[in-house]
Amino acid sequence: MHLNTVFNETTPGIGWLYQIDWIRVLIALGVLFTGIFISLLIRRVIYRVSVKFMPKDISSILSKVVYYVLVIIVVISAFGVLGIDLTGLIIAGGILGIILGFALQSVTSNFVSGLFLFWERPLKIGDLVEIDGQIGRVVDISIMSTKIVGLDGVLIRIPNEKVFQAIINNPSKTIARRIDFVVGISYHSDAEKAYNVIREIVLKHPFVLVYPEPDIFVEELGDSSVNIRVRVWVPTSEWYNVRKELLWNIKKALDQSGIEIPFPQRDLWFRSPLEIRLKK
Amino acid sequence: MVLQSLKYGNVEFGEYVIDGHRALFREIGKDRILYRRFVGEEIVLERIVFGYEKIMIVPVYPALTPKYITNYLLLEFKTPIHIAPGSMTYVYVEVPIDIAIYVYMDKVFTVLDVIPLFEPKYTLYGDPFNGLIARYYSSSIYYEITPIRGKALAKLTLRNRTNEWVIVTRLLVDMSPLKIFYKPGTSEAYTQELLMVIDSPSTASVGYGDPFVSDIEPIDDPPELRQPRIILKTDMLWGI
């Protein structure tokens, strides 16, 4: 007796079970479980690799996103094995994706920019940076935004999209930094003496580096003053304090040596003689 | 009060002359000490210590004053050394030191004061992006063991592995693996032997060996400059 007949006769109502292609079902389940297993492996690998150069939470999000995308592909493939066409679902999902893409454009942009920032690492927590005209110390870099505390102590949140597109000025990336300023002395003063006074102050400062050697020279014979350019290199961490101390010490030393720092002066010449009236 | 000159080791109460400084240790009660450092008649540092086992004056790495910003020390030789291809030689070089006052209790110590012995200067070794900041010192060269007051002496072995003459003008040292020793009761300080292997006319590596003088004691390293578990060589990649 044929098995179909037996099923129909002995267990009425479950005949449809016989119509199922069990081999296909097994293949689909095989595709599903193997796919999910491989997706899990890929998720772990992505997490372990990315955690070396990204914060843990970002690595976790990235690995999860990749995992769920792979699981969706595996599920669609498994349904495909069963002969179930999900084209309509994919099209609907695609349309939904486009709608969400437009709606969450800035969120997505910030997210992707955040990933690229973690990859490129133009700044790290603790760096003193200038981003988009804002100067401050970096206190947090998250997947959506970067937070800096300005020099006045105010917290500034900058979306990662802006950080990614902005010109970032990050002096903390280098270990040494140059200080550059001009000291103007009057034409009446002894320029050589002034040069020696400035040089002595510069060389005496512990944080003015021996190499690269300090560079001090007369840059310009200006309208009101002889301009002496001072260029010195200092450890980046000491830049601010050294700049303050050098300017102050040079000013004091020049005063003590009787060297005048002039204010802008202009000689006026009158084409015709001036008439002066005296009131009695 | 009698002024005593600088000697490394345990300190008794009294007043010591250390370069241009005077260090005063006075007992002000049971287990209590008043420490004062003078420059001229001005008190530049004052501390009160409660509870102590012993106080020591020791030579210390020149990294803590005026501010700890680097582990590295660059010695520029006053006299450059020319070394023939494939040859090996040794010289003794000055290593700058500061003087530290350590206070101990049950082998646990704290650094009470660091007295600078020379004007500190720093330098950039390499370029601003890849290089490093190092403490700078212009060092004299000696041909035999010559204890120098206020300095440590290092034995520097130079090995030229190239096939050409090289000129050595400087030595980069990492102060973490560098060890400072002192001879108790004297003002003599030493480091261990340093081995500079020259790989090219502009690159070398510096290794850290054993002490080359007997009857010396190692200092306890300050927390910033504790010896690493694995001592690696220091690469000189930006000129020798």
Side-chain angles (χ1 to χ4, degrees), chain B residues 85-99:
Chain B
S87 66
M88 191 168 143
T89 185
Y90 68 87
V91 289
Y92 296 94
V93 293
E94 274 175 8
V95 175
I97 48 164
D98 288 338
I99 300 295

Side-chain angles (χ1 to χ4, degrees), chain B residues 123-134:
Chain B
T123 185
L124 175 66
Y125 179 68
D127 62 72
F129 196 69
N130 297 305
L132 50 90
I133 297 288

Side-chain angles (χ1 to χ4, degrees), chain A residues 19-279:
Chain A
Q19 290 167 6
I20 292 171
D21 189 342
W22 289 104
I23 293 170
R24 274 193 166 193
V25 171
L26 282 175
I27 292 170
L29 285 174
V31 167
L32 188 68
F33 289 119
T34 313
I36 289 173
F37 179 69
I38 292 169
S39 305
L40 271 171
L41 285 181
I42 291 172
R43 176 181 167 174
R44 275 192 186 178
V45 170
I46 287 174
Y47 180 77
R48 283 186 184 175
V49 172
S50 62
V51 82
K52 289 176 185 168
F53 52 89
M54 285 182 185
K56 272 186 181 176
D57 51 341
I58 306 300
S59 302
S60 173
I61 290 171
L62 182 70
S63 59
K64 275 180 189 166
V65 168
V66 172
Y67 171 71
Y68 288 122
V69 168
L70 288 174
V71 166
I72 289 167
I73 292 168
V74 166
V75 170
I76 290 168
S77 306
F79 276 114
V81 171
L82 289 173
I84 298 167
D85 187 11
L86 293 178
T87 316
L89 196 66
I90 292 168
I91 292 169
I95 292 167
L96 187 68
I98 292 167
I99 293 166
L100 283 175
F102 274 111
L104 302 174
Q105 194 180 9
S106 64
V107 175
T108 315
S109 174
N110 280 322
F111 177 79
V112 174
S113 299
L115 288 179
F116 278 109
L117 283 177
F118 282 115
W119 193 282
E120 196 187 337
R121 288 189 170 188
L123 35 87
K124 64 176 193 302
I125 290 171
D127 285 356
L128 185 69
V129 294
E130 183 181 352
I131 306 168
D132 207 23
Q134 303 286 344
I135 300 174
R137 205 167 281 283
V138 180
V139 289
D140 184 37
I141 308 168
S142 70
I143 194 67
M144 300 301 283
S145 66
T146 298
K147 295 183 188 78
I148 64 174
V149 172
L151 300 179
D152 55 357
V154 175
L155 184 74
I156 304 161
R157 178 189 177 277
I158 308 170
N160 279 343
E161 187 187 3
K162 273 204 161 182
V163 179
F164 188 64
Q165 289 171 358
I167 292 172
I168 299 172
N169 184 354
N170 186 356
S172 309
K173 280 278 174 189
T174 53
I175 52 160
R177 204 177 157 191
R178 199 175 74 180
I179 294 175
D180 196 327
F181 57 84
V182 173
V183 181
I185 58 157
S186 76
Y187 277 95
H188 304 296
S189 301
D190 183 343
E192 188 150 359
K193 190 177 173 187
Y195 172 87
N196 288 331
V197 167
I198 294 169
R199 188 173 169 76
E200 192 182 331
I201 295 290
V202 162
L203 295 182
K204 203 175 166 188
H205 199 290
F207 289 119
V208 170
L209 300 179
V210 177
Y211 298 113
E213 286 181 71
D215 194 11
I216 305 164
F217 57 96
V218 173
E219 185 184 58
E220 188 188 18
L221 301 175
D223 291 340
S224 316
S225 60
V226 177
N227 293 332
I228 298 174
R229 170 73 64 180
V230 181
R231 284 185 179 144
V232 297
W233 285 82
V234 298
T236 302
S237 59
E238 307 305 314
W239 186 89
Y240 179 66
N241 288 333
V242 177
R243 186 181 163 79
K244 274 193 310 184
E245 287 164 16
L246 278 184
L247 285 171
W248 178 235
N249 291 342
I250 287 172
K251 161 73 178 144
K252 280 196 299 182
L254 289 177
D255 285 349
Q256 281 168 8
S257 305
I259 294 160
E260 187 188 344
I261 300 174
F263 45 84
Q265 295 168 33
R266 198 163 292 276
D267 290 336
L268 294 176
W269 177 80
F270 294 94
R271 186 186 292 270
S272 53
L274 283 180
E275 187 181 328
I276 300 170
R277 288 178 188 168
L278 292 172
K279 279 186 180 179

